[in-house]
Every structure is written in structure tokens, then in C-alpha cells.
Amino acid sequence: MDIHIVQAFFMLGFVAMAAGALWFYLERNDLKPELRSVATYAAVIAFIAAIMYYVMKDVVLFPGGKATPADIEATLPLRYIDWLLTTPLLLVEFALIVAIAGALKKGLLTKLIIADIAMIVFGYLGEVGEPGSAGNYIFFILSVLAWLYIVYVVFTLNVSTGPAHVKRAVMIMKWFVIVGWSIYPIGTATQEFIEVSGGDAVLAIGIAAIIYVIADVLNKVGFGIVAVRAAKQSSIEESAGVKKVQGV
């Protein structure tokens, strides 16, 4: 695989995340004070990812345009540092929207974050091992189980109160967790399959890297847009309600 393809996707990830961080920051002032943290978290998540992608695009930049597996794998620790920082923040962002509906249960966020950290750690251990080894498969399964637990907790959460737009946003964010987050294990499994079946290692790692970029943009920017729009609609409706009461 031409390394410039992978680098182009890293650049795409950087631009998308940087633009997302700026948009979330600008939207912050349109929210009522108690909901501005929603936009703040979204901006921080996108900003962290933008920094990581900016660094990763330079890690794989070298003369010749060809790469070895080690060249692309050098970005792996950066990617997992990104996920270790941003995925818990995504869950905090989700909890903030659930709280608007008054459906946030005590201990919910703690359980989700613990499972999320386990998912990331096991996922990393499964990727750094020898392709096709038993350890890789065990850690991959443990990572998927942690993700499935997150899916279970999120989808069994009953949000029956609150404004219709908030309930709709919560449902969309739930589907991000099950559909959007499923892209990551698909990327890992694709890489493992190509390598174990004797395929080109650079191609396998490159395809996985591209899949991860697409997943990151969808799950971080897309997730944030849904959350911020819900918070903004709540701010608009509350402002309109206050004006109506005041007879303005």
C-alpha cells in the first residue's frame, strides 16, 4: 500500500477533528450556562484527536512513499492514548444529555467508564501481540465483551422523561455506541484476518488504520454534533419559555 494513502486519511482525520473542535467551541456560547459543558467536552474530545492525528501524519511521512508494518504500527500507541482519553469523555458527554432528561442513574457513568477502560486496554494488548496467537484472540474477545457490556448498559437505560428532542438525541447516541463503535473491532479483525491468511502486512495495517480514521470522525464529531444540537435545542426552548412567562 502507498503510504501516502494512509497519510492522506490521517490528514483528513486531523482536519475533521480540528474543524469539529472549533465548531463545538463556537457553539458553546449559544447554550445556557449549565449546558455549556456539553460543547466543552465535545470540543476537548475533537481537539485531543486533532493533535494525535497531526502527530500521526508525520510519523508515517518519509521519502520513497513505501512503508513497512513497523512504520504504520508506530502510530498505534498514539491511537490508543487518544482512545483512552476520548472515549471516557464521550461517555461523559452521553451522560450529560441523559441528565437533561432526568434519567441519569447513580453509578451509571462509573460503570461505563470502567468497562470502557477495560475495552481499550484489552484491545491494545490484543493488537501488540503476535498475529494469530492465542493471546491476541483472548484479549480481542475480552475487549469485545467489555464493549458489549457498554452496549447492554446503554440500551437498557430507560429515558422516558424529558423533551422529545432529548429522547431522540439519546437514542441516536445509543446507536453510535453499538454501530459506530463496532467499526473498531471490525478494523482489528480485518487486519488480523489478512495477516493470518498470509496477506500483505502493510496492506492489512493500512486498511485497519483507514477504518479507524473513518470510525473516529463519525464517533467523535458526529456524536458531538448530536449532543450539542440537543443541548442547544434545550437552551432555545428554555429561553422561549422564560420569555413567555415574562410576557415578552
Side-chain angles (χ1 to χ4, degrees):
M1 172 178 282
D2 191 326
I3 192 61
H4 292 121
I5 297 175
V6 178
Q7 188 188 23
F9 271 88
F10 284 163
M11 177 58 76
L12 173 65
F14 164 69
V15 172
M17 296 299 181
L22 178 60
W23 186 81
F24 295 138
Y25 176 77
L26 293 176
E27 287 290 294
R28 187 177 181 278
N29 289 333
D30 290 338
L31 307 182
K32 58 183 181 178
E34 57 268 34
L35 292 180
R36 287 176 183 169
S37 58
V38 175
T40 300
Y41 277 109
V44 169
I45 290 166
F47 182 68
I48 291 172
I51 292 174
M52 293 302 180
Y53 274 113
Y54 186 82
V55 175
M56 284 192 286
K57 75 174 180 59
D58 290 333
V59 170
V60 297
L61 177 63
F62 54 88
K66 297 295 181 182
T68 66
D71 295 320
I72 302 177
E73 281 190 333
T75 65
L76 187 65
L78 294 171
R79 187 178 300 285
Y80 274 90
I81 290 172
D82 176 339
W83 292 341
L84 196 59
L85 293 173
T86 58
T87 54
L89 294 179
L90 284 169
L91 293 172
V92 172
E93 193 176 359
F94 173 74
L96 290 173
I97 300 302
V98 173
I100 298 176
L104 184 61
K105 298 179 181 179
K106 184 178 180 180
L108 172 70
L109 185 57
T110 301
K111 290 190 292 186
L112 288 174
I113 289 178
I114 290 173
D116 178 74
I117 292 173
M119 177 183 71
I120 300 301
V121 171
F122 288 137
Y124 178 74
L125 294 174
E127 281 212 57
V128 296
E130 186 69 25
S133 66
N136 267 25
Y137 293 124
I138 291 172
F139 286 126
F140 176 76
I141 292 171
L142 290 174
S143 180
V144 170
L145 288 175
W147 166 62
L148 290 175
Y149 175 76
I150 294 172
V151 170
Y152 169 76
V153 172
V154 165
F155 268 82
T156 54
L157 177 64
N158 183 23
V159 182
S160 57
T161 59
H165 70 272
V166 173
K167 289 188 284 187
R168 184 169 58 252
V170 170
M171 181 54 66
I172 294 172
M173 295 169 84
K174 285 182 177 183
W175 281 106
F176 265 107
V177 173
I178 186 171
V179 178
W181 288 26
S182 69
I183 300 173
Y184 298 105
I186 289 173
T188 303
T190 299
Q191 176 182 336
E192 188 78 7
F193 174 78
I194 294 174
E195 291 182 339
V196 171
S197 61
D200 182 72
V202 176
L203 176 65
I205 297 171
I207 289 175
I210 290 171
I211 291 174
Y212 294 150
V213 173
I214 295 170
D216 275 348
V217 173
L218 289 174
N219 289 307
K220 292 171 183 173
V221 178
F223 198 89
I225 289 174
V226 173
V228 171
R229 286 185 64 183
K232 189 172 183 177
Q233 184 64 32
S234 292
S235 300
I236 292 171
E237 290 186 1
E238 181 171 313
S239 177
V242 170
K243 289 181 179 179
K244 186 176 181 179
V245 170
Q246 293 175 345
V248 177

